[in-house]
Amino acid sequence: MSLVPTIYRSTDSGAPLLSGVPGALIALLDAVLVDGYGVGAGRKDGLGWTKGFGGVNIRAYQNSQVSGTGYFLRVDDTAARSALLRGYSSMSDLNTGEDATPSPSLKAIGSMWEKSNVASGALRHWIAIGTERFFYLFVDTGGNYGTQGYAGTHGHYAGDITSMKPGDRHHFVVSYKGGDSEGSSNVGYGFKARPWSDFGNADSHTAAFIGRSMSGIPGSMRSFVSAAAATVNTTLGNQSNYPTYPYIGNGGLLYSTVDVLESVMQPRGFLPGIYAPIHRRPFPELTLVSDVDGLPVGTQLLAKCVTADSFTPGFNETYTGQILIDITNAWG
């Protein structure tokens, strides 16, 4: 496909339904990553990933071998409310691969992504956006779409980050919810920022798992995310002492890349295609932001709320932050 992102929504014509039943996430990812959905003018092609291996409610998807690492993302969707994910640099069959991310020593079950707070066919709305190398998925896990729209969704991601290391072949990440139990308040940690100097290598500090460290030595690593001016542990775009938008100094937006670090003061790169506002949730959900200083003319950013530490209630005044997603330019 392309490195220019495509947006998919549960409200699109022909979009797959997500719910708390086995196989529901596989059906969604089959459509978004590979097959596409819809007909005629409403048709949306898949992102350009491929299906490497498959079984009953289990898939191994591969990102681009041309522009990306060619890593596989194995998704075990045999449970009702959640799925278990793990990346591999190569696979010989559905259950065998190299560079397991997270490794079994880090996470015996893999990284849990939740689909719903109930084991039923109750609809859960979602938004996905990505490229042939990387994608984000936001899920209305708590079933709050009727009152909150997409603002109460929890975010996940997988694929190649934008690496600072020339020739990097192991910068594939799988985001982590912050815990290994369904229904816990440890959720949404893929977008929970920490200062560069604060990482204790614990579940509660981990945003994602990355294929290998910068050294290239085999073995997956924990990683965390940060942004400019982040001084506390909270969701991106949620720090209470950030300046008011618009900023008096430039009359507009202050923003930052979302840094990915593999240890204290050791940045690996950035989450592709997104920025963190240096304001507290400056825009209503899904606002299109344009004319941003420092970005190419014509760039549009999509404001997306992200929630951590609040499961069933979804949007929470204390725990919900915001990211800004570039929907115009190719992602690095």
Side-chain angles (χ1 to χ4, degrees), residues 252-271:
L253 181 71
L254 299 177
Y255 63 97
S256 161
T257 56
V258 178
D259 307 328
V260 179
L261 297 93
E262 58 183 49
S263 59
V264 169
M265 296 296 180
Q266 297 295 306
R268 180 67 169 271
F270 317 95
L271 287 181

Side-chain angles (χ1 to χ4, degrees), residues 23-323:
L25 182 61
I26 289 291
L28 190 161
L29 294 178
D30 277 355
V32 168
L33 297 182
V34 183
D35 300 327
Y37 57 80
V39 296
R43 168 73 183 173
K44 288 188 176 180
D45 292 332
L47 286 176
W49 294 51
T50 58
K51 296 176 190 174
F53 301 95
V56 178
N57 295 332
I58 304 176
R59 293 284 191 279
Y61 305 97
Q62 188 176 27
N63 77 356
S64 175
Q65 299 180 67
V66 177
S67 67
T69 57
Y71 256 69
F72 290 84
L73 179 67
R74 185 183 189 274
V75 182
D76 181 338
D77 195 19
T78 54
R81 290 173 50 184
S82 64
L84 302 173
L85 290 83
R86 206 185 300 272
Y88 293 94
S89 62
S90 64
M91 297 187 75
S92 55
D93 60 50
L94 185 58
N95 300 308
T96 310
E98 300 294 326
D99 294 298
T101 307
S103 65
S105 62
L106 281 179
K107 285 293 159 191
I109 65 172
S111 182
M112 178 183 288
W113 291 11
E114 286 169 290
K115 298 175 282 185
S116 177
N117 64 331
V118 293
S120 77
L123 177 66
R124 292 294 179 260
H125 282 277
W126 54 269
I127 290 181
I129 180 168
T131 71
E132 63 189 28
R133 292 198 301 220
F134 190 99
F135 71 94
Y136 299 98
L137 174 64
F138 304 93
V139 177
D140 175 30
T141 323
N144 300 299
Y145 182 81
T147 56
Q148 300 177 4
Y150 289 110
T153 57
H154 298 110
H156 313 277
Y157 50 83
D160 303 341
I161 64 169
T162 304
S163 178
M164 299 171 63
K165 179 183 176 182
D168 202 343
R169 298 300 298 172
H170 296 280
H171 52 294
F172 186 93
V173 301
V174 179
S175 70
Y176 183 55
K177 72 184 287 286
D180 305 323
S181 300
E182 293 179 339
S184 74
S185 60
N186 298 102
V187 65
Y189 280 37
F191 295 97
K192 190 170 182 179
R194 310 186 68 82
W196 274 37
S197 60
D198 182 16
F199 185 58
N201 211 36
D203 284 356
S204 60
H205 294 193
T206 301
F209 301 98
I210 192 165
R212 294 186 187 181
S213 72
M214 287 181 285
S215 70
I217 296 173
S220 64
M221 299 277 294
R222 295 176 184 267
S223 64
F224 69 105
V225 296
S226 189
T231 59
V232 297
N233 306 323
T234 188
T235 40
L236 295 159
N238 187 43
Q239 191 163 306
S240 60
N241 64 349
Y242 277 166
T244 301
Y245 173 82
Y247 181 55
I248 191 172
N250 65 356
L253 181 71
L254 299 177
Y255 63 97
S256 161
T257 56
V258 178
D259 307 328
V260 179
L261 297 93
E262 58 183 49
S263 59
V264 169
M265 296 296 180
Q266 297 295 306
R268 180 67 169 271
F270 317 95
L271 287 181
I274 70 170
Y275 300 96
I278 312 303
H279 312 277
R280 190 164 189 260
R281 289 197 315 270
F283 304 106
E285 173 73 342
L286 302 185
T287 296
L288 287 177
V289 183
S290 57
D291 300 322
V292 176
D293 287 349
L295 297 180
V297 174
T299 296
Q300 288 192 314
L301 304 179
L302 180 70
K304 181 74 195 74
C305 287
V306 288
T307 296
D309 297 310
S310 175
F311 184 60
T312 297
F315 181 92
N316 183 289
E317 183 64 31
T318 301
Y319 299 124
T320 298
Q322 190 169 82
I323 58 173

